[in-house]
């Protein structure tokens, strides 16, 4: 029997002294966090003490779970249901540490609550122990039916109290305590004698031992003349109104049929105008329905008759269209289904970023061999349109190869039918060309991308499609930016924006602004990138374009990673993650998790970084996005570098390197090589470190990625410095500095100047070292490490007052330098001075 059905039945059969239980469905709350559950429990228990974490603006943790346990101890017996726990499990383990903390505390602490859990999988805690006690030889977690005393109590409470106890037990035994069967029994005994029902049960028992089959027999007997209506209603997947029920009436349907079905507990209602069938009743009814196609067509007509909001904002607002489409497909009315999806349904889902839903819907209208000659659609142009929609959806889901397949197949059909203008007669094949261009741009094949975008631009100009021109110009800007031709890229984006202003298309304007932001990001002009991303974000939010909104949030998060403003990155990535979860965009989820991992790694919270990257990897394995998989493995390598677990870091970076080489992602390949260089440098294997750094450097020079080239040069300089090869170190630092100046990277320039100061410090050329430190501080006056290194040099020059001033600045910016200074022999001549001791013991922190 169904686990949720069983759990719901327990609520009906609970003792009278137990209040209405707490119910939480993980199926309906798949993205839930510990804080969400604690909030709901606090509201149910009227115990605000459980949610002090909200008042204190912090993440919930052990102290809050302990507060919950304390409150449970103060209460009389309550029942707490957690339904479908397996939804949030990975294999048998909890994927969320906070929720695992909650359940382990509920298991191992004494309290007055009964915790009822339903799950397809027996959950296990991190320590390997089962969450639920299993008695040897008895599977406590396997659900058969209600205990006899509970079932008898239910029958008595529902009108069968006049029957003898033996008869009641016999009824319960006849259906093995199955909750639905018990409901049906109550109505049957009222309509027939208890003797008749027991005779039937005896017969059913001889025929089958299957409880579900017994329930089916009872259902058929109870349904009687209304069984035909039940069968027709069973095609509905969700609750419907009275209009939906009447759509299924025939000439022979009795006027009181609906009332009869409700009275017999065969039709459920919330008494607010919504009606539905119990899952097993629906299953029994649908199995008996003969003319399924005809009835699904009636359901399609019903949903098409329902009004749709004039300004829909989310998938739920157009659910009647989705239901109509579903029924059209089941009824094999494929041309009607195409008309439904082509008449704005796909545009809304695309606008809101519901790409997974689009793929699911469009796949239903295609034959199993989607690229074969057979088509469910009469018009080949319609078939081409579906392939085009799928190509675009797969692009946004990050499934590049699939996107290429569908777009190329659509183009092939265009050539076969000589349809250069597509279904509207104007737009041509530019949608497929545009999508292919975007895919190849993402794959780093910019020249190929430009070729496709220019074809799309040409068709748009010929057909005088100004919107198409604008899209093509913006896409060309993105491709030329990838080639490092930034002036050309900006020109194309500005042409796109000019057209947008003429035609007043805000959606395309937002997209063009976002692409311009990416151009400035590539140019390392981060302030301008942020400016354009924020403009694009505002338009996306104003117009309800959730797809573009998510992309802008993701891009802003990445910019702030580069700027080292990790808290802002987390803020933007969490917003992006929320949208991706709402739209079921698994690729977007994995990117958001990877970016969050990168941000937490930057904050030094490496354990948290690893958790997020592992979530990204789990999704990558499901959807096969090797690009994000390679990136996630690289971030994991960096996190283990941060934890000082260099062997593990090397293991992950080598995996990342292998994937990036296979898929041709040269940028991520250079990042993996640089991380390997860092790991080997940290292990004092300097020759190996330099070897990896130089491989990374070559890739950046080949691809024209001057920003990463600058970083690689700096890393090689550090390795040579640690080897005592100061002349070589200076050579690489100066090359890095020149690139920083060429591309306007002030932050990077400041880092290189500080590094040059360090080399001259090591060479005991203190005056020159001070000169470089001061230049570095002009660029970044809030760099604690530069103040500290300058203070060390001043101290060695016996400039005590200057050294103390700089040391104080370093400590005010970062208190960890107090501990460094206590052990750093560069300050040995200051250790015994009162001023040094005052600075070290000072509690002042910025």
């Amino acid at each position: 029997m169904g686990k949720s059905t069983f759990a719901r039945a327990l609520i009906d059969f609970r003792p009278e002294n137990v209040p209405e239980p707490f119910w939480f469905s993980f199926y309906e709350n798949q993205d839930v966090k510990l804080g969400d559950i604690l909030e709901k429990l606090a509201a149910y228990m009227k115990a605000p003490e459980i949610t002090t974490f909200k008042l204190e603006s912090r993440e919930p943790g052990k102290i809050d779970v302990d507060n919950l346990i304390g409150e449970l101890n103060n209460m009389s017996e309550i029942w707490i249901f957690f339904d479908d726990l397996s939804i949030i499990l990975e294999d048998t383990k909890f994927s969320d540490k906070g929720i695992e903390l909650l359940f382990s505390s509920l298991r191992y602490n004494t309290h007055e609550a009964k915790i009822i859990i339903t799950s397809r999988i027996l959950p296990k805690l991190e320590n390997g122990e089962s969450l639920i006690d299993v008695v040897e030889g008895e599977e406590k977690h396997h659900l058969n039916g209600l205990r006899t005393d509970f079932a008898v109590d239910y029958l008595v409470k529902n009108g069968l109290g006049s029957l003898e106890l033996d008869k009641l037990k016999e009824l319960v035994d006849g259906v093995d305590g199955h909750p639905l069967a018990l409901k049906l029994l109550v109505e049957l005994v009222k309509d027939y004698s208890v003797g008749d029902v027991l005779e039937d049960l005896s017969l059913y028992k001889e025929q089958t031992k299957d409880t579900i089959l017994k329930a089916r027999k009872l259902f058929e007997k109870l349904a009687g003349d209304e069984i035909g209506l039940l069968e027709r209603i069973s095609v509905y997947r969700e609750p419907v109104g009275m209009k939906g029920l009447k759509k299924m009436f025939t000439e022979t349907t009795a006027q009181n049929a609906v009332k009869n079905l409700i009275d017999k507990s065969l039709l459920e209602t919330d008494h607010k105008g919504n009606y539905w069938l119990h899952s097993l009743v629906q299953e029994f009814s649908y199995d008996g329905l003969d003319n399924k196609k005809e009835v699904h067509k009636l359901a399609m007509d019903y949903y098409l008759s329902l009004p749709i909001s004039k300004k829909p904002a989310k998938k739920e607002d157009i659910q009647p269209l989705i239901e109509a489409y579903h029924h059209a497909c089941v009824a094999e009315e494929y041309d009607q289904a195409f008309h439904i999806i082509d008449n704005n349904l796909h545009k809304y889902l695309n606008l809101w970023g519901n790409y997974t839903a689009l793929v699911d819907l469009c796949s239903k209208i295609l034959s199993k061999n989607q690229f074969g000659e057979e088509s469910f659609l009469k018009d080949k142009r319609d078939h081409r349109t579906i392939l085009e929609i799928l190509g675009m959806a797969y692009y946004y889901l990050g499934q590049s190869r699939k996107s290429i397949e569908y777009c190329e197949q659509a183009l092939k059909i265009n050539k076969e039918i000589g349809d250069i203008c597509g279904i509207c007669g104007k737009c041509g094949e530019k949608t497929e060309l545009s999508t292919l261009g975007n895919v190849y741009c993402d794959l780093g094949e910019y020249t190929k991308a430009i070729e496709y975008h220019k074809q799309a631009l040409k068709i748009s100009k010929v057909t005088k499609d100004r919107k198409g021109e604008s899209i093509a110009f913006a896409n060309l800007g993105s491709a030329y930016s990838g080639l490092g031709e930034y002036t050309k890229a900006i020109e194309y984006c500005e042409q796109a924006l000019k057209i947008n202003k003429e035609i007043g298309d805000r959606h395309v304007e937002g997209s063009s602004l976002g692409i311009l932001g990416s151009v400035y990001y590539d140019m390392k002009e981060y302030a301008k990138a942020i400016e354009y991303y924020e403009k694009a974000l505002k338009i996306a939010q104003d117009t309800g374009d959730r797809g573009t909104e998510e992309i802008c949030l993701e891009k802003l998060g990445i910019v702030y990673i580069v700027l080292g403003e990790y808290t802002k990155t987390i803020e933007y990535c969490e917003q992006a993650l929320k949208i991706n979860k709402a739209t079921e965009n698994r690729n977007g989820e994995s990117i958001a998790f990877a970016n969050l991992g990168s941000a937490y790694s930057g904050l030094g919270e490496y354990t948290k970084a690893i958790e997020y990257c592992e979530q990204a990897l789990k999704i990558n394995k499901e959807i096969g996005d090797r690009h994000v998989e390679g990136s996630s493995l690289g971030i994991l390598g960096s996190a283990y570098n941060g934890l000082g677990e260099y062997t593990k870091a090397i293991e992950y970076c080598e995996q990342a390197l292998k994937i990036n080489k296979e898929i041709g992602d040269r940028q991520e390949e250079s990042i993996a090589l640089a991380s390997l260089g860092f790991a080997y440098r940290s292990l004092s294997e300097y020759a190996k470190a330099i070897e990896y750094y130089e491989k990374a450097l070559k890739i950046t020079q080949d691809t024209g990625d001057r920003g990463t080239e600058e970083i690689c040069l700096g890393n090689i300089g550090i390795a040579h410095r640690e080897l005592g090869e100061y002349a070589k170190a200076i050579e690489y630092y100066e090359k890095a500095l020149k690139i920083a100046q060429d591309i306007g990277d002030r932050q990077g320039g400041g880092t290189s100047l500080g590094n040059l100061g360090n080399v001259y410090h090591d060479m005991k050329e203190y005056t020159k070292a001070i000169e470089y430190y001061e230049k570095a501080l002009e660029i970044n006056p809030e760099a604690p490490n530069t103040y500290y290194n300058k203070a060390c040099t001043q101290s060695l020059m016996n400039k005590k007052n200057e050294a103390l001033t700089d040391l104080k600045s370093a400590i005010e910016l970062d208190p960890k330098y107090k501990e460094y200074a206590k052990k750093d022999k560069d300050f040995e001549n200051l250790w015994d001075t009162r001023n040094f001791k005052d600075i070290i013991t000072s509690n002042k922190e910025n």
Side-chain angles (χ1 to χ4, degrees):
M1 63 169 294
K3 58 191 183 307
S4 299
T5 303
F6 182 88
R8 287 285 187 192
L10 281 177
I11 293 175
D12 293 337
F13 306 141
R14 71 187 186 278
E16 290 182 3
N17 64 316
V18 176
E20 183 69 24
F22 172 83
W23 180 275
F24 188 89
S25 167
F26 283 102
Y27 180 80
E28 293 170 6
N29 300 275
Q30 296 186 22
D31 307 323
V32 70
K33 297 291 182 189
L34 172 61
D36 303 323
I37 299 175
L38 290 177
E39 281 188 58
K40 289 183 182 294
L41 280 166
Y44 167 76
M45 295 165 63
K46 297 182 175 58
E49 300 83 0
I50 298 169
T51 56
T52 52
F53 61 89
K54 287 186 73 182
L55 296 173
E56 296 167 6
S57 300
R58 60 175 173 80
E59 288 294 308
K62 188 175 185 305
I63 187 171
D64 307 294
V65 174
D66 289 345
N67 286 340
L68 167 66
I69 301 297
E71 289 299 321
L72 290 174
N73 272 317
N74 294 333
M75 298 184 71
S76 56
E77 184 180 335
I78 60 169
W79 288 12
I80 296 175
F81 285 79
F82 291 105
D83 188 37
D84 236 339
L85 182 62
S86 48
I87 287 287
I88 62 159
L89 299 178
E90 292 179 7
D91 295 324
T92 59
K93 300 289 181 69
F94 286 88
S95 57
D96 186 286
K97 298 299 178 190
I99 295 177
E100 179 172 18
L101 170 66
L102 170 66
F103 280 99
S104 62
S105 296
L106 289 171
R107 185 193 195 284
Y108 291 117
N109 287 285
T110 304
H111 51 76
E112 297 302 315
K114 273 190 172 28
I115 311 298
I116 299 98
I117 295 167
T118 72
S119 176
R120 287 180 294 101
I121 301 164
L122 190 61
K124 288 192 176 178
L125 299 169
E126 194 172 22
N127 60 12
E129 290 188 17
S130 171
L131 178 65
I132 302 166
D133 289 322
V134 181
V135 179
E136 193 173 342
E138 182 183 348
E139 293 192 21
K140 286 273 187 177
H141 55 287
H142 181 71
L143 305 180
N144 290 313
L146 293 177
R147 224 171 58 197
T148 302
D149 54 343
F150 274 88
V152 167
D153 187 51
Y154 173 78
L155 294 177
V156 169
K157 284 179 180 176
N158 284 273
L160 302 188
S162 61
L163 297 181
E164 295 173 9
L165 182 60
D166 288 347
K167 296 288 185 189
L168 290 170
K169 285 182 178 179
E170 204 174 335
L171 286 170
V172 170
D173 181 58
V175 294
D176 303 318
H178 190 286
L180 174 64
L182 289 170
K183 282 182 78 173
L184 300 177
L185 273 179
V186 169
E187 303 307 324
L188 279 169
V189 171
K190 289 177 183 176
D191 287 355
Y192 303 88
S193 71
V194 67
D196 286 343
V197 174
L198 286 172
E199 189 178 329
D200 287 339
L201 285 175
S202 176
L203 180 63
Y204 303 157
K205 199 165 188 176
E206 288 175 16
Q207 292 174 349
T208 178
K209 291 183 179 180
D210 190 322
T211 306
I212 299 298
L213 288 178
K214 291 175 193 173
R216 183 191 289 273
K217 294 282 188 181
L218 292 173
F219 155 74
E220 289 169 355
K221 184 178 180 76
L222 183 60
D225 293 339
E226 281 87 25
I227 196 164
L229 178 59
L230 275 175
E231 288 172 352
R232 291 188 292 279
I233 294 170
S234 70
V235 301
Y236 291 124
R237 299 191 300 178
E238 57 175 28
V240 295
M242 183 58 73
K243 184 179 176 182
L245 297 183
K246 286 188 174 179
K247 188 72 181 177
M248 298 303 168
F249 279 21
T250 65
E251 291 178 0
T252 59
T253 303
Q255 288 300 309
N256 61 348
V258 171
K259 181 181 181 300
N260 289 343
L261 289 174
I262 292 170
D263 290 344
K264 292 176 180 180
S265 298
L266 292 173
L267 181 65
E268 310 282 340
T269 180
D270 59 2
H271 302 290
K272 295 177 183 178
N274 296 304
Y275 302 89
W276 67 95
L277 299 180
H278 182 285
S279 57
L280 274 179
V281 170
Q282 185 170 28
E283 182 186 325
F284 298 160
S285 301
Y286 193 74
D287 284 349
L289 180 63
D290 291 328
N291 53 340
K292 288 183 171 64
K293 289 182 187 177
E294 183 184 323
V295 179
H296 276 288
K297 192 171 181 299
L298 289 173
M300 176 193 76
D301 292 337
Y302 161 68
Y303 280 111
L304 287 175
S305 73
L306 297 180
I308 302 295
S309 167
K310 289 182 180 179
K311 291 184 178 180
K314 56 187 183 300
K315 192 171 83 168
E316 290 70 25
D317 295 342
I318 57 168
Q319 193 62 36
L321 289 178
I322 293 172
E323 292 303 310
Y325 179 86
H326 161 76
H327 290 292
C329 288
V330 179
E332 296 182 8
E333 296 284 334
Y334 295 114
D335 291 303
Q336 179 67 52
F338 173 78
H339 177 73
I340 294 167
I341 200 165
D342 190 50
N343 189 18
N344 289 329
L345 176 56
H346 86 273
K347 291 175 186 173
Y348 285 130
L349 293 173
N350 188 57
L351 176 67
W352 301 328
N354 292 104
Y355 309 119
T356 303
L358 257 181
V359 168
D360 180 53
L361 292 174
C362 288
S363 298
K364 290 177 181 176
I365 210 170
L366 297 175
S367 60
K368 284 185 180 179
N369 182 8
Q370 297 182 347
F371 300 149
E373 289 298 315
E374 183 190 358
S375 173
F376 291 156
L377 299 166
K378 292 173 186 173
D379 193 327
K380 269 200 166 185
R381 289 175 300 178
D382 296 345
H383 185 71
R384 181 206 68 85
T385 299
I386 293 297
L387 294 172
E388 172 193 294
I389 293 169
L390 281 165
M392 189 182 294
Y394 279 120
Y395 162 68
Y396 284 115
L397 289 170
Q399 298 188 41
S400 303
R401 297 301 166 193
K402 270 195 169 181
S403 178
I404 291 169
E405 273 186 289
Y406 281 95
C407 287
E408 286 183 343
Q409 190 65 24
L411 285 172
K412 184 183 172 187
I413 292 174
N414 275 329
K415 287 175 184 174
E416 287 173 6
I417 62 178
D419 179 15
I420 217 180
C421 294
I423 65 163
C424 68
K426 297 177 183 177
C427 298
E429 41 192 39
K430 72 176 190 309
T431 303
E432 295 97 304
L433 293 167
S434 180
T435 302
L436 283 166
N438 289 333
V439 172
Y440 283 113
C441 197
D442 281 0
L443 291 172
E445 297 186 40
Y446 303 114
T447 306
K448 207 166 188 176
I450 288 165
E451 180 187 324
Y452 281 113
H453 288 316
K454 282 187 173 177
Q455 288 181 59
L457 178 61
K458 184 180 177 183
I459 292 171
S460 296
K461 284 183 173 180
V462 168
T463 57
K464 296 180 181 179
D465 178 5
R466 297 290 278 162
K467 178 179 175 180
E469 278 187 67
S470 170
I471 292 168
F473 278 131
N475 288 335
L476 281 164
S478 180
Y480 277 109
S481 182
L483 286 174
E485 296 186 35
Y486 302 123
T487 305
K488 216 168 190 176
I490 290 169
E491 283 174 14
Y492 277 117
C493 287
E494 285 176 346
Q495 286 184 72
L497 286 169
K498 186 182 175 188
I499 294 171
N500 293 334
K501 285 179 183 175
E502 287 175 19
I503 63 176
D505 192 316
R506 297 206 75 206
H507 291 294
V508 183
E509 182 187 357
S511 179
S512 301
L513 287 165
I515 290 171
L516 193 51
S518 294
V519 174
Y520 282 112
Y521 172 82
D522 291 343
M523 293 171 70
K524 316 292 181 194
E525 293 191 31
Y526 301 122
K528 269 195 169 178
I530 289 168
E531 178 190 336
Y532 282 104
Y533 284 145
E534 285 181 341
K535 284 179 180 177
L537 178 63
K538 186 169 189 315
I539 290 174
Q541 289 170 335
D542 289 347
T543 58
D545 185 348
R546 299 206 85 191
T548 302
E549 180 185 359
E550 185 277 326
I551 291 168
C552 291
L553 291 165
E554 176 198 313
K555 300 285 188 186
L556 282 162
I558 291 168
V559 177
Y560 283 113
I561 285 175
V562 176
L563 292 173
E565 296 186 40
Y566 303 114
T567 307
K568 276 195 172 176
T569 293
I570 291 164
E571 178 189 329
Y572 283 112
C573 288
E574 283 181 343
Q575 291 179 62
L577 182 61
K578 188 176 179 183
I579 291 173
N580 286 316
K581 285 184 173 180
T583 58
E584 299 175 341
N585 185 345
R586 299 290 277 161
N587 176 255
E589 277 187 66
S590 71
I591 292 169
F593 279 131
N595 288 335
L596 283 164
S598 187
Y600 280 109
S601 186
L603 287 170
E605 296 186 39
Y606 301 116
T607 305
K608 213 165 190 179
I610 289 165
E611 284 174 17
Y612 278 111
C613 287
E614 284 175 345
Q615 288 184 72
L617 283 171
K618 183 181 176 234
I619 295 171
N620 296 332
K621 284 175 185 174
E622 289 174 18
I623 64 175
D625 187 337
R626 302 207 77 205
H627 286 275
V628 185
E629 183 182 358
S631 174
S632 301
L633 287 164
I635 296 166
L636 271 171
S638 297
Y640 280 111
N641 268 332
L643 286 171
E645 296 186 35
Y646 303 117
T647 306
K648 255 190 174 176
I650 289 167
E651 178 190 328
Y652 281 108
C653 289
E654 283 179 343
Q655 288 180 55
L657 185 61
K658 184 174 183 288
I659 289 172
N660 294 323
K661 280 182 175 177
E662 286 171 3
I663 63 176
D665 191 333
R666 301 212 76 199
Q667 185 181 19
E668 286 295 333
E669 184 183 345
S670 69
I671 291 169
L673 287 164
S675 291
L676 282 163
F678 180 90
Y680 282 112
R681 195 185 92 210
S682 302
L683 291 168
S684 301
E685 295 188 38
Y686 299 115
K688 213 164 188 177
I690 290 168
E691 178 190 332
Y692 280 109
Y693 281 142
E694 285 181 341
K695 284 179 181 177
L697 177 64
K698 187 174 186 310
I699 291 172
T700 62
Q701 290 169 337
D702 289 347
T703 58
D705 185 351
R706 301 209 75 202
T708 311
E709 181 186 357
E710 175 200 338
I711 294 166
C712 289
L713 288 164
N715 285 332
I716 295 170
I718 291 169
H720 281 298
R721 178 194 163 204
E722 289 173 346
L723 281 170
E725 297 174 358
Y726 301 127
K728 276 194 171 180
I730 290 168
E731 177 192 337
Y732 281 101
Y733 286 149
E734 285 180 342
K735 284 180 181 177
L737 178 60
K738 186 174 186 312
I739 291 175
Q741 290 166 341
D742 289 346
I743 66 174
D745 181 7
R746 282 177 58 78
Q747 196 79 19
T751 300
S752 293
L753 287 164
N755 285 336
L756 282 163
N758 293 340
V759 177
Y760 284 111
H761 170 96
D762 292 351
M763 294 168 68
K764 297 184 170 48
E765 293 189 34
Y766 300 131
T767 304
K768 212 161 189 179
I770 296 292
E771 182 186 323
Y772 278 109
Y773 289 140
E774 285 176 347
K775 285 180 181 177
L777 287 167
E778 282 175 22
I779 292 171
N780 187 0
E782 293 192 358
N785 60 322
T786 309
Y787 279 113
Y788 182 83
N789 291 332
K790 187 184 169 201
C792 290
T793 310
Q794 301 274 25
S795 178
L796 291 169
M797 294 171 75
N798 209 33
K799 293 184 177 182
K800 295 181 179 180
N801 290 335
E802 292 89 334
L804 289 166
T805 299
D806 287 326
L807 178 60
K808 186 179 179 186
S809 297
I811 289 169
E812 285 177 349
L813 288 163
D814 190 342
K816 74 181 179 188
Y817 286 102
K818 286 181 184 181
E819 296 304 314
Y820 293 170
K822 288 178 189 177
K823 300 169 186 176
D824 195 330
K825 289 196 173 182
D826 285 354
F827 295 113
E828 196 169 5
N829 64 331
L830 296 173
W831 283 344
D832 294 329
T833 67
R834 181 170 179 174
N835 287 340
F836 179 86
K837 289 176 180 176
D838 287 346
I839 290 170
I840 294 304
T841 56
S842 168
N843 288 322
K844 184 179 178 184
E845 294 178 11
N846 272 351

